């Protein structure tokens, strides 16, 4: 055994000419028949040559043998290059099919769009690069292939999220529920996790189809599965944001109550912070104005114009004849956040044209021409514009909760200013009110009434956002830690906060990069401050991502695609909603066994 171990089994160059062998990938390969010899021993190589090829090449001298070896080696390299090229083309075809499948999913198009796209590709190829036709033909885009590729892409994204989740030091969830085109309840769960470097990952954690009831217990069970499947510890959950429905926010039988109970069972030290979506609450605050009668009248007018095709066509023609700046009036859709303001603005701008058109139709326009109604319409139009501006500030991905809270605080301050100005008869920030006030007597314009409504709206904002006001100190630790009163800060971070506020280098860095990026520069010597920053960065201020996903869901699962399976719908939405993650197509292609048309070899 010792003798065999000590034996030299390295390939010698002289064997090439003597036995017509070469060395490829650590194995001796016969240049004549391509057979590999398992062990690089001269005896084995010589035996193969003498039993297989000696009679054919025995008459060649060494010069002829050398020439023959070089010729055979060139032939072998050519064959290897051919197979490498075939493999490369095959992998490129697979990658292309993954890329196209991802684009189909992002655009909410059906799987069979791949077949249509391939037909277009082949026709373009015939004209632009006919020599590449076979390469384009190798790209598989059949309906089943696109469906499989979509599931593969979604699985890859989920695996990446699971890998990132291992580094999370804090995470929060945003949960909302809606129904699809087939009346199946769909539960969306988004996660916002922060790792040890204070980098934020915001992705879809789970999209669950609920075919039965949607009680708090059933919603909790689905959320529980989402958290446990990705192997996240419950003690790192710091925030939960919902749409405020009873099944979500119930303290005992709702999702919030059950999550808190689960955290107590797990002996979690931290307290779960629960928020009702800021955007939902902002929309609910507007109802405190109690001006539905104005909106009802406007909606009736719009419906009269738009509901019948003849009226609609005649109205557009009438506007064109009048030389109006606008060509139409939009419908009001209650579920669309910005719809109310757009409809009110358009109706206010076209108020005279609308009255003239209705009169040609024999409709009574006395109410529309009343000064009281016009004043109320102008006020509602202006305040809706301000609310819409706030709504737009609160929308978007990656929004930090402190910035959202700052926008709400600023709006509350504006309400106080507007109230005082309105009491003084100065609606300078209400252009529609200014326009109407200039047309009627100042005594008729109800400044006191509108000031009262602004006061009621401010009180409603204060009431609904009380839970955010309670977190004001924690928000300030993230938004401006250098201005926080140390005595009001939690005791566990007071020492570190003093060191931070006295560090001029960190103060300069804060001024340079801003509040959103500054937490990454907090040194490791301040672990409590870094933990506090991670928890605040992980908080969801709204369920905007869930609402955005439901919009994509309705575009994807339409009345024409009701048979779309839960798995395929989930995969499509995971791909279309991915933001900080992207599918690793190279890895997917390398793991896929692919076959090139016309060849019998597989990579």
């Amino acid at each position: 055994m010792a003798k065999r171990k000590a034996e030299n089994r390295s390939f010698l160059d002289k064997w090439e000419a003597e036995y017509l062998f070469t060395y490829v990938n650590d194995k001796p390969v016969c240049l004549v028949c391509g057979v590999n010899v398992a062990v690089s021993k001269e005896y084995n190589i010589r035996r193969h040559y003498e039993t297989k090829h000696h009679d054919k090449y025995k008459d060649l001298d060494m010069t002829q043998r050398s020439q023959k070896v070089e010729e055979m080696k060139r032939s072998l390299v050519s064959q290897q290059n051919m197979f490498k090229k075939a493999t490369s083309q095959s992998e490129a075809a697979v990658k292309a099919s993954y890329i196209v499948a991802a684009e189909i999913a992002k655009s909410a198009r059906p799987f069979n769009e791949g077949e249509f796209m391939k037909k277009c590709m082949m026709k373009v190829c015939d004209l632009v690069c006919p020599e590449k036709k076979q390469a384009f033909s190798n790209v598989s885009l059949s309906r089943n292939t696109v469906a499989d590729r979509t599931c593969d892409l979604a699985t890859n994204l989920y695996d990446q999220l699971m890998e990132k989740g291992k580094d999370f030091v804090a995470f929060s969830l945003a949960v909302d529920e809606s129904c699809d085109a087939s009346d199946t309840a769909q539960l969306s769960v988004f996660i916002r996790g922060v790792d040890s470097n204070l980098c934020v990952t915001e992705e879809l954690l789970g999209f669950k189809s609920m075919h039965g009831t949607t009680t708090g217990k059933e919603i909790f069970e689905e959320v529980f599965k989402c958290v446990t499947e990705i192997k996240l510890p419950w003690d790192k959950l710091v925030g939960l944001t919902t749409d405020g429905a009873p099944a979500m926010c119930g303290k005992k039988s709702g999702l919030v109550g059950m999550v808190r109970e689960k955290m107590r069972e797990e002996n979690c030290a931290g307290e779960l912070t629960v928020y009702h979506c800021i955007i939902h609450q902002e929309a609910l605050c507007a109802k405190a104005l109690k001006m539905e009668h104005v909106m009802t009248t406007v909606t009736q007018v719009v419906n009269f114009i738009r509901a019948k095709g003849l009226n609609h066509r005649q109205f557009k023609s009438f506007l064109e004849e009048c030389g109006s700046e606008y060509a139409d009036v939009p419908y009001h859709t209650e579920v669309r956040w910005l719809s109310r303001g757009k409809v009110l603005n358009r109706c206010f701008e076209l108020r005279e044209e609308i009255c003239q058109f209705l009169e040609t139709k024999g409709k009574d326009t006395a109410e529309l021409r009343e000064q009281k109604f016009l004043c109320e319409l102008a006020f509602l139009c202006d305040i809706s514009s301000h609310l819409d501006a706030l709504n737009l500030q609160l929308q978007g991905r990656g929004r930090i909760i402190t910035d959202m809270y700052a926008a709400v605080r600023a709006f509350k301050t504006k309400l106080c200013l507007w109230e005082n100005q309105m009491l003084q008869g100065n609606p300078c920030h209400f252009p529609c009110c200014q326009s109407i006030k200039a047309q009627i007597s100042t005594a008729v314009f109800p400044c006191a009434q509108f000031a009262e409504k602004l006061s009621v709206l401010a009180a409603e904002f204060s009431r609904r956002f009380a839970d955010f006001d309670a977190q004001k100190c924690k928000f300030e630790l993230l938004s401006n830690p250098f201005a926080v009163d140390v005595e009001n800060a939690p005791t566990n971070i007071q020492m570190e906060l003093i060191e931070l506020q006295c560090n001029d280098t960190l103060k300069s860095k804060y001024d340079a990069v801003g509040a959103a990026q500054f937490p990454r520069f907090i040194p490791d010597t301040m672990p409590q401050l870094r933990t506090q920053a991670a928890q605040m960065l992980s908080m969801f201020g709204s369920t905007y991502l869930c609402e955005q996903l439901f919009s994509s869901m309705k575009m994807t699962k339409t009345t024409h695609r009701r048979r779309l399976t839960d798995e395929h719908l989930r995969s499509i939405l995971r791909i279309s909603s991915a933001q900080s993650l992207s599918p690793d197509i190279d890895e997917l292609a390398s793991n896929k066994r692919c076959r090139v048309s016309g060849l019998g070899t597989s990579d």
Side-chain angles (χ1 to χ4, degrees), residues 212-224:
T213 56
T214 56
T215 63
K217 179 181 179 182
E218 289 161 330
I219 292 174
F220 168 75
E221 289 173 353
E222 296 297 340
V223 173
F224 175 80

Side-chain angles (χ1 to χ4, degrees), residues 47-93:
R47 182 180 62 180
H48 174 85
Y49 170 74
E50 290 177 350
T51 57
K52 302 287 186 180
H53 311 301
H54 178 266
D55 293 341
K56 184 175 180 180
Y57 298 101
K58 63 182 179 180
D59 297 331
L60 299 178
D61 57 27
M62 289 305 296
T63 301
Q64 292 173 325
R65 280 178 174 273
S66 298
Q67 293 175 351
K68 192 67 176 177
V69 166
E70 292 303 319
E71 180 184 338
M72 290 179 172
K73 287 172 71 174
R74 285 195 297 271
S75 176
L76 178 62
V77 170
S78 177
Q79 291 179 18
Q80 289 175 334
N81 288 339
M82 182 187 70
F83 286 120
K84 286 180 180 178
K85 183 179 180 181
T87 301
S88 176
Q89 290 179 347
S90 180
E91 287 184 356

Side-chain angles (χ1 to χ4, degrees), residues 406-460:
V408 172
R409 283 173 51 209
F411 190 80
K412 288 162 64 177
T413 305
K414 291 176 184 178
L415 286 172
C416 294
L417 173 66
W418 297 337
E419 180 187 354
N420 293 331
Q421 290 177 336
M422 193 66 74
L423 285 172
Q424 297 168 10
N426 178 26
C428 56
H429 297 287
F430 290 71
C432 295
C433 289
Q434 285 181 306
S435 174
I436 290 296
K437 189 178 179 183
Q439 298 176 15
I440 63 177
S441 63
T442 305
V444 175
F445 191 82
C447 290
Q449 176 186 340
F450 294 154
E452 177 63 24
K453 288 191 176 297
L454 290 171
S455 175
V456 170
L457 185 59
E460 185 68 6

Side-chain angles (χ1 to χ4, degrees), residues 357-374:
F357 178 76
L358 292 178
E359 286 169 356
T360 63
K361 292 291 182 177
K363 294 290 183 178
D364 183 14
T365 60
E367 182 183 2
L368 298 178
R369 293 185 181 278
E370 283 182 3
Q371 291 184 346
K372 179 182 178 182
F373 176 82
L374 289 174

Side-chain angles (χ1 to χ4, degrees), residues 112 200 284 302 346 373 438 544:
N112 56 13
V200 179
L284 291 172
V302 172
R346 185 64 55 84
F373 176 82
Y544 171 83

Side-chain angles (χ1 to χ4, degrees), residues 499-512:
E499 294 176 12
L500 177 74
Q501 292 180 347
C502 294
N503 191 314
D504 293 336
T505 303
L506 291 176
K507 181 66 170 68
S508 300
K509 179 62 70 173
Y510 173 84
D511 294 336

Side-chain angles (χ1 to χ4, degrees), residues 356-587:
Q356 292 176 14
F357 178 76
L358 292 178
E359 286 169 356
T360 63
K361 292 291 182 177
K363 294 290 183 178
D364 183 14
T365 60
E367 182 183 2
L368 298 178
R369 293 185 181 278
E370 283 182 3
Q371 291 184 346
K372 179 182 178 182
F373 176 82
L374 289 174
C375 292
E376 290 180 337
L377 175 62
F379 175 76
L380 186 58
C381 182
D382 283 330
I383 195 63
S384 296
S385 296
H386 289 307
L387 288 167
D388 287 350
L390 173 61
N391 193 293
L392 287 172
Q393 280 186 278
L394 300 175
Q395 293 184 36
R397 294 191 70 121
R399 299 302 309 274
I400 300 175
I401 193 169
T402 53
D403 293 342
M404 301 177 76
Y405 175 66
V408 172
R409 283 173 51 209
F411 190 80
K412 288 162 64 177
T413 305
K414 291 176 184 178
L415 286 172
C416 294
L417 173 66
W418 297 337
E419 180 187 354
N420 293 331
Q421 290 177 336
M422 193 66 74
L423 285 172
Q424 297 168 10
N426 178 26
C428 56
H429 297 287
F430 290 71
C432 295
C433 289
Q434 285 181 306
S435 174
I436 290 296
K437 189 178 179 183
Q439 298 176 15
I440 63 177
S441 63
T442 305
V444 175
F445 191 82
C447 290
Q449 176 186 340
F450 294 154
E452 177 63 24
K453 288 191 176 297
L454 290 171
S455 175
V456 170
L457 185 59
E460 185 68 6
F461 264 82
S462 297
R463 184 182 71 84
R464 286 196 171 275
F465 290 98
D467 51 346
F468 288 89
D469 292 335
Q471 301 291 325
K472 182 179 179 181
C473 181
K474 290 184 178 181
F475 291 161
E476 288 178 346
L477 284 171
L478 180 64
S479 60
N480 191 3
F482 295 92
V484 174
D485 186 352
V486 176
E487 293 185 2
N488 294 331
T491 55
N492 64 319
I493 65 172
Q494 286 179 340
M495 298 298 101
E496 293 181 5
L497 187 59
I498 292 174
E499 294 176 12
L500 177 74
Q501 292 180 347
C502 294
N503 191 314
D504 293 336
T505 303
L506 291 176
K507 181 66 170 68
S508 300
K509 179 62 70 173
Y510 173 84
D511 294 336
V513 302
Q517 300 297 325
F518 175 72
R520 299 181 185 180
F521 298 95
I522 299 176
D524 294 334
T525 54
M526 301 178 182
Q528 294 297 330
L529 279 177
R530 287 181 66 86
T531 300
Q532 183 71 26
Q535 292 177 351
M536 286 293 102
L537 286 172
S538 73
M539 293 286 191
F540 279 107
S542 72
T543 57
Y544 171 83
L545 292 180
C546 299
E547 298 288 353
Q548 189 181 49
L549 190 74
F550 291 142
S551 296
S552 298
M553 175 190 73
K554 293 184 184 300
M555 292 174 61
T556 301
K557 190 172 181 179
T558 63
T559 54
H560 301 290
R561 296 185 74 190
R562 288 184 177 183
R563 295 178 63 186
L564 190 68
T565 65
D566 294 340
E567 180 187 4
H568 286 153
L569 178 61
R570 181 165 52 250
S571 298
I572 291 170
L573 294 180
R574 186 175 294 280
I575 295 169
S576 62
S577 65
Q579 187 75 12
S580 55
L581 302 177
S582 58
D584 190 343
I585 292 177
D586 290 336
E587 179 186 352

